[in-house]
Amino acid sequence: MLNMMKVELWKATHNKFFRRAILIGLTLTLINVAESAHRVKILTSEVVRYIAADIPVSTSIQGFSLFISWMPVHPSGLGSNIFYFIWPILAAMPYAWSYTQERHSGLYNQIVTRGCKNMYFLSKYFALFVSGGIAIALPVTLDLFLTALVCPTDVPDVTKSLIPLMNISFLSRLYYTRPWIYAVIWCCIEFLWGGVIAVACLMVGSKLRFAAAIILFPFISLVLCDFFLSIICNFFKIKQPFSTMQLARAASTAYNPYWTIPTVLCAMLILTLLMGFWQVKKDELV
């Protein structure tokens, strides 16, 4: 089984789709860093001008802290907004298409007749999870350290921050007291989000024939989910809307209580594993 996992992981991280996903993610990271550097440059010139004119410096400098300019919490950055709009596509792009390709090429039958279907499923699951996690976590982690080179690392002040996390948000207290620890933990959470979205594609792997359809499946599913959730919220006049697309973003504009992220992540992991093993038992992975 270990050898099969190694083979699947090598295939997941050595293909053109994986490289394209990483390239897109890193491009958006560089856009966000460039935007942050430009804002800091403008702010610095303002501060110098205020000091020269003996004018008290505005406390708005708090809004240019690393922990507010960082991609998961950046409220208006182009790179950040694009990244968190297409993140389900980036998670699925590296290897979610592989099962469909192997089913329709006949490679699946050759693999399972020489080995165990359970091992094949677990190896595929592992490779999908890791590749999807890397595609999301790597740009976010790199953005953290690159933005730290151009932005001050002030601890966010809940009374001055332009985009404070809600006090009910996941680990919000840690964000306002130990932001570096929060940032490291959130990078790990991004890895988990990328992984669970990638493995969710196994549920339709044998139903859809084209790689593009598999890659778009998580994105379309989340968009439709948000659409129906908005209808439900409007019908019941709920003032705090909930968004599945926003769950991967630390400073979500949607209702995001502290228990949501752990609950949804655990539920998706358990659901995909149970469905996978159930389908293996019925002589079908998906």
Side-chain angles (χ1 to χ4, degrees):
M1 180 176 175
L2 185 59
N3 288 335
M4 189 178 289
M5 282 188 172
K6 289 180 179 179
V7 170
E8 289 291 338
L9 186 58
W10 188 92
K11 289 161 58 179
T13 55
H14 291 78
N15 64 78
K16 62 181 180 181
F17 290 99
F18 179 81
R19 291 191 292 269
R20 289 172 182 174
I22 296 298
L23 180 60
I24 294 171
L26 295 184
T27 300
L28 296 174
T29 290
L30 294 177
I31 292 174
N32 188 68
V33 173
E35 290 176 322
S36 300
H38 179 66
R39 288 195 309 274
V40 170
K41 181 180 178 180
I42 294 176
L43 175 66
T44 302
S45 63
E46 275 190 15
V47 170
V48 171
R49 182 164 55 85
Y50 287 168
I51 292 175
D54 199 23
I55 301 174
V57 178
S58 171
T59 56
S60 63
I61 188 172
Q62 178 67 218
F64 295 86
S65 167
L66 159 66
F67 302 105
I68 294 176
S69 299
W70 183 38
M71 202 151 57
V73 293
H74 196 177
S76 58
L78 177 64
S80 175
N81 287 333
I82 294 177
F83 182 84
Y84 283 103
F85 180 70
I86 65 171
W87 73 271
I89 299 175
L90 294 181
M93 187 182 293
Y95 203 51
W97 45 267
S98 64
Y99 178 66
T100 295
Q101 186 182 70
E102 291 173 5
R103 287 285 298 197
H104 294 287
S105 67
L107 182 60
Y108 166 81
N109 294 330
Q110 298 180 32
I111 295 174
V112 297
T113 53
R114 289 175 172 82
C116 174
K117 286 184 290 185
N118 287 337
M119 290 183 181
Y120 173 82
F121 168 73
L122 289 175
S123 300
K124 185 69 69 177
Y125 191 98
F126 173 75
L128 277 170
F129 192 94
V130 172
S131 61
I134 292 174
I136 301 302
L138 181 61
V140 172
T141 304
L142 186 61
D143 182 79
L144 174 66
F145 292 105
L146 289 180
T147 306
L149 298 176
V150 299
C151 291
T153 56
D154 299 341
V155 175
D157 188 334
V158 69
T159 64
K160 299 176 182 178
S161 298
L162 297 180
I163 173 79
L165 273 71
M166 293 184 292
N167 59 357
I168 60 170
S169 298
F170 185 62
L171 299 179
S172 60
R173 181 173 297 181
L174 190 63
Y175 174 77
Y176 289 111
T177 55
R178 298 289 187 273
W180 274 110
I181 297 176
Y182 174 89
V184 171
I185 293 175
W186 193 262
C187 288
C188 297
I189 292 174
E190 297 283 23
F191 181 87
L192 295 178
W193 276 121
V196 297
I197 287 298
V199 297
C201 295
L202 284 173
M203 294 188 291
V204 294
S206 63
K207 309 301 180 185
L208 303 176
R209 294 186 62 91
F210 302 106
I214 296 293
I215 292 172
L216 290 173
F217 167 73
F219 175 79
I220 294 173
S221 298
L222 293 181
V223 169
L224 289 176
C225 184
D226 281 359
F227 174 72
F228 288 113
L229 283 172
S230 65
I231 293 177
I232 293 172
C233 289
N234 288 333
F235 181 79
F236 289 102
K237 298 182 180 179
I238 299 174
K239 296 182 179 180
Q240 293 180 307
F242 180 79
S243 172
T244 54
M245 284 285 286
Q246 289 283 324
L247 286 176
R249 194 166 194 165
S252 172
T253 56
Y255 182 62
N256 183 22
Y258 69 93
W259 51 265
T260 306
I261 291 174
T263 301
V264 175
L265 281 174
C266 290
M268 290 186 68
L269 283 172
I270 294 172
L271 178 64
T272 51
L273 276 172
L274 291 179
M275 287 189 65
F277 280 117
W278 176 74
Q279 290 163 3
V280 166
K281 187 177 181 180
K282 295 187 63 177
D283 202 27
E284 279 265 16
L285 268 181
V286 281

